[in-house]
Amino acid sequence: MAATTFPTVLGMAGASRLTSGFVKPQVIARNPLKQAMALGNGGRVTCFQRDWLRRDFNVIGFGLIGWLAPSSIPAIDGKSLTGLFFDSIGTELAHFPTPPALTSPFWLWLICWHLGLFISLTFGQIGFKGRTEDYFQK
């Protein structure tokens, strides 16, 4: 590392060193992994809960059922979103080596069905975990 030199200015009070609030003094960077090793926790640095997802299979099961039930209601020209999505999968698999065209309705049904599923799973996670951890108590 090159040493930083400061210019010396001769003034009425003698020699003084120019300093600035923008120039920071050199500080030795500390490696958090070496600090963790010194603490004796095997070099593992954690900044959040180890089980941050708090995965529960009840949420996945009830969320999937909670999305399949409303998406199976025949509301789109007498057909359900799930039925339209699965029919488009069958249509696209009929010409398998060729991928679906960008204008194929498969992409619309794929995005709508999965967006609804992920929203349902997200709200299920919030509701189920919030209830088990007494988050909604008054």
Side-chain angles (χ1 to χ4, degrees), residues 35-43:
Q35 289 177 343
M37 289 294 278
L39 292 174
N41 60 0

Side-chain angles (χ1 to χ4, degrees), residues 25 44 79 83 94 117:
R44 188 178 322 144
K79 294 184 178 181
L117 175 66

Side-chain angles (χ1 to χ4, degrees), residues 6 16 21 23 38 44 55 57 66 71 79 81 86 94 107 120 124 128:
F6 296 101
S16 67
V23 178
R44 188 178 322 144
R55 176 180 56 186
F57 294 115
S71 69
K79 294 184 178 181
L81 179 60
F86 290 162
W107 298 111
S120 174
F128 194 86

Side-chain angles (χ1 to χ4, degrees), residues 52-69:
W52 62 272
L53 182 60
R54 292 178 284 177
R55 176 180 56 186
D56 191 358
F57 294 115
N58 289 328
V59 174
I60 295 171
F62 288 129
L64 183 62
I65 291 169
W67 174 240
L68 278 176

Side-chain angles (χ1 to χ4, degrees), residues 27-41:
V27 177
I28 298 172
R30 295 188 179 116
N31 186 346
L33 295 177
K34 288 183 181 177
Q35 289 177 343
M37 289 294 278
L39 292 174
N41 60 0

